[in-house]
């Protein structure tokens, strides 16, 4: 039995993840991915550290204000998990051509606060059949969804693309949703576990709900890439 259990394991050090967003959610997700031993992680963000970020983006300090988020995050993670190959992409994602670096990745993780980027990444991942995990937070509310193209409804069907935008973020909520994203990712990357996919995990102040997502008949994303 022990030999069978070992044979089911996947070498996570051979996996590549693209993390888009190095803010509150991104800080939480990246620490868990690097700590779990993910071999290569792309860190993508166009933004720079601001003082208002520090309450929830715990890997940055006052001395980092004005610095590139993805470069600073790479520096912190390199000290924590030197075995991970960390590659920075200082870029705003506006169209699918901006995501060329993510081709061949085993998983894309969204940790952003705008729906335009979610829509672009949703289409890119469906087209290239790359699983994608998305999280969004607002105050003490947050949600997470894991899409596997051709197996589950997409981010649009789950209400993520038209969902949470730029709002006030709370550090504890970022920690909860970021940890959920990382948990789904690590389970999938290390053993092929897809049990968290196709369900939206909703955190609302003092409760959790898990809802199964059905594909929308009017979803142009799913229609286009299921043919």
């Amino acid at each position: 039995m022990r030999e069978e259990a070992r044979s089911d394991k996947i070498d996570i050090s051979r996996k590549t993840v693209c993390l888009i967003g190095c803010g509150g959610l991104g800080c939480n997700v990246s620490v868990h991915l690097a700590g779990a031993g993910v071999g290569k992680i792309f860190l993508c963000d166009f933004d720079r550290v601001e003082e208002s970020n520090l309450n929830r983006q715990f890997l940055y300090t006052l001395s980092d204000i004005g610095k590139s988020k993805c470069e600073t995050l790479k520096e912190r993670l390199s000290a924590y998990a030197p075995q991970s190959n960390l590659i920075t992409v200082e870029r705003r994602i506006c169209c699918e051509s901006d995501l060329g670096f993510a081709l061949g990745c085993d998983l894309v993780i969204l940790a952003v606060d705008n729906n335009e980027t979610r829509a672009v990444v949703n289409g890119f991942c469906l087209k290239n059949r790359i699983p994608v995990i998305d999280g969004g937070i607002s105050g003490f509310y947050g949600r997470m969804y894991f899409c596997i193209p051709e197996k589950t409804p997409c981010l649009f069907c789950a209400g993520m693309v038209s969902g949470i935008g730029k709002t006030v973020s709370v550090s504890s909520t970022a920690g909860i949703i970021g940890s959920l994203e990382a948990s789904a990712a690590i389970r999938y990357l290390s053993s092929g576990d897809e049990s968290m996919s196709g369900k939206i995990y909703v955190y609302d102040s003092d409760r959790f709900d898990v809802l199964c997502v059905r594909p929308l008949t009017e979803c142009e994303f799913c229609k286009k890439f299921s043919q």
Side-chain angles (χ1 to χ4, degrees), residues 114-128:
N114 71 85
N115 295 321
E116 291 78 11
T117 299
R118 287 187 176 102
V120 170
V121 173
N122 187 51
F124 173 84
C125 287
L126 290 174
K127 179 179 179 180
N128 294 286

Side-chain angles (χ1 to χ4, degrees), residues 24-25 28-29 32 56 58 137 170-181:
L25 289 173
N28 282 279
V29 172
H32 296 303
R56 63 194 179 281
F58 62 92
I137 60 175
V170 177
S171 178
S172 58
T173 309
I176 291 168
I177 300 301
S179 294
L180 273 175
E181 289 190 272

Side-chain angles (χ1 to χ4, degrees), residues 44-187:
C44 178
D45 202 309
F46 68 92
D47 211 354
R48 295 187 174 270
V49 180
E50 299 179 11
E51 186 173 358
S52 61
N53 301 151
L54 302 182
N55 74 307
R56 63 194 179 281
Q57 299 176 22
F58 62 92
L59 291 177
Y60 309 132
T61 67
L62 284 169
S63 63
D64 297 320
I65 292 174
K67 294 181 181 178
S68 161
K69 284 187 179 180
C70 59
E71 291 292 343
T72 306
L73 184 56
K74 177 182 178 179
E75 180 183 331
R76 300 290 188 273
L77 293 175
S78 295
Y80 173 63
Q83 77 283 356
S84 289
N85 179 15
L86 305 169
I87 302 170
T88 58
V89 181
E90 197 164 354
R91 178 182 304 170
R92 185 192 294 268
I93 304 301
C94 299
C95 58
E96 289 188 23
S97 61
D98 295 329
L99 288 163
F101 66 93
L103 287 170
C105 284
D106 297 289
L107 181 66
V108 171
I109 302 179
L110 274 165
V112 300
D113 61 2
N114 71 85
N115 295 321
E116 291 78 11
T117 299
R118 287 187 176 102
V120 170
V121 173
N122 187 51
F124 173 84
C125 287
L126 290 174
K127 179 179 179 180
N128 294 286
R129 296 176 175 82
I130 302 173
V132 55
I133 297 173
D134 184 25
I137 60 175
S138 174
F140 291 98
Y141 174 87
R143 56 193 181 188
M144 187 277 291
Y145 183 68
F146 180 14
C147 165
I148 301 179
E150 299 184 342
K151 290 187 177 182
T152 71
C154 73
L155 301 185
F156 178 82
C157 293
M160 299 298 290
V161 172
S162 58
I164 301 171
K166 294 182 178 180
T167 53
V168 176
S169 300
V170 177
S171 178
S172 58
T173 309
I176 291 168
I177 300 301
S179 294
L180 273 175
E181 289 190 272
S183 179
I186 293 167
R187 290 172 66 168

Side-chain angles (χ1 to χ4, degrees), residues 189-217:
L189 294 169
S190 64
S191 65
D193 185 346
E194 301 177 355
S195 60
M196 294 182 74
S197 68
K199 294 175 260 187
I200 187 164
Y201 291 75
V202 181
Y203 166 71
D204 193 356
S205 298
D206 62 349
R207 61 176 289 177
F208 268 105
D209 290 298
V210 182
L211 309 171
C212 290
V213 177
R214 294 182 179 179
L216 299 176
T217 55

